[in-house]
Amino acid sequence: MFGTGEAPISVSSSPTRTGSFELVVRKVGNVTGAMHNLAEGATVGIRGPFGTSVPVDEYKGKDMLIVAGGIGLVPVRSCINYILDNRQDFGRLMILFGSRSPKERLFTDELAAWSARDDVEFLETVDKGDDTWKGNVGVITTLFPKIDFDPDKTICVVVGPPIMYRFVIIEAKKKGLADERIVVSLERRMKCGVGKCGHCQINNLYCCQDGPVFNYSKVKDYSEAF
Ligand SMILES: Cc1cc2nc3c(=O)[nH]c(=O)nc-3n(C[C@H](O)[C@H](O)[C@H](O)COP(=O)(O)OP(=O)(O)OC[C@H]3O[C@@H](n4cnc5c(N)ncnc54)[C@H](O)[C@@H]3O)c2cc1C
Ligand code: FES
């Protein structure tokens, strides 16, 4: 934001949907506040994209289990829509999504569309319900007993707040998933995005360069990451 500063923002749209791309920005501080004040048609500066993405092409033919917590849905929505736009290339598509409350649910039209599709198994929960909410209440791990999958055919992609990873991975492993079949995105503390500032470092890895998407088998021993 010229005159204000910059902030890392994830690409939320799928590369299959060309011509434009989508960012979803929560207003929390200076940069995001200034973005929310922009008039339609205003100019912003963008550098990137940086880092790794979910290697979806390696997973063709596999069953996909996507676990998204809160605003983790913003980046992983790109992966979900990529799979939907190449639906014939993948096996089952299972999506588990958890929000803190019904008011904080994102992309509600898309959630409804996914849940209406025969070729998507969509399960959702909120940590705390309200009068409007008729669905599951509880943290995202409460959805795991409700699904069955073949651990030898399934790839699990997990994106959410740092606290979520440890508990989701415990549930995934209880279902028999090997470490190599779990993919995590550690989108944290990034500043420069180009391997210079060191803010995103976990042990010898730079999230902005080596990640943010990692195979869990490569980072599982990094206690700082989980
Ligand atoms: C890889 C990556 C991807 C991301 N993707 C997205 C995305 O897609 N969408 C998105 O919305 N965000 C995303 N974020 C988060 C976003 O980059 C940060 O929230 C960023 O700091 C926002 O910049 P800002 O200048 O608006 O906020 P900052 O001014 O940096 O404020 C950041 C935090 O400080 C708090 N804060 C600010 N001012 C005050 C104050 N006066 N008193 C108390 N607390 C205060 C805010 O509540 C906020 O939690 C991503 C972060 C990373 C690392
Ligand atoms: S964000 Fe600066 S080194 Fe990774």
Side-chain angles (χ1 to χ4, degrees), residues 13 18 24 34 44 60 66 75-76 81 93 110 125-126 150 160 175 179 187 206 214:
S13 46
T18 53
V24 178
V44 296
K60 285 188 173 164
I66 313 285
V76 86
N81 281 326
L93 174 58
E110 275 173 69
T125 188
V126 296
D150 179 347
K175 294 258 182 192
D179 294 341
E187 306 200 340
Y206 280 13
F214 294 97

Side-chain angles (χ1 to χ4, degrees), residues 95-156:
I95 304 170
L96 309 186
F97 175 51
S99 318
R100 270 197 232 142
S101 70
K103 285 200 183 66
E104 290 181 53
R105 295 169 72 236
L106 296 166
F107 308 110
T108 48
D109 292 351
E110 275 173 69
L111 301 182
W114 298 342
S115 130
R117 284 178 71 132
D118 291 338
D119 58 355
V120 177
E121 295 156 77
F122 178 72
L123 295 177
E124 194 181 354
T125 188
V126 296
D127 293 351
K128 199 163 181 294
D130 62 18
D131 297 344
T132 65
W133 184 250
K134 306 274 180 288
N136 194 83
V137 176
V139 293
I140 198 160
T141 45
T142 61
L143 296 177
F144 271 81
K146 298 176 193 284
I147 47 159
D148 268 318
F149 53 81
D150 179 347
D152 296 326
K153 281 176 67 185
T154 303
I155 299 292
C156 176

Side-chain angles (χ1 to χ4, degrees), residues 6-11 23-33 71 74-75 187-190 212:
E6 60 177 3
I9 301 293
S10 310
V11 177
L23 308 176
V24 178
V25 180
R26 181 178 282 185
K27 183 178 168 183
V28 294
N30 290 340
V31 173
T32 52
I71 57 167
V74 170
E187 306 200 340
R188 263 179 287 170
R189 297 193 293 245
M190 286 189 207

Side-chain angles (χ1 to χ4, degrees), residues 9-15 20-24 46 48-50 73-79 187:
I9 301 293
S10 310
V11 177
S12 185
S13 46
S14 163
S20 63
F21 62 92
E22 294 167 357
L23 308 176
V24 178
I46 292 184
F50 299 122
L73 187 63
V74 170
V76 86
R77 169 177 174 256
S78 169
C79 176
E187 306 200 340

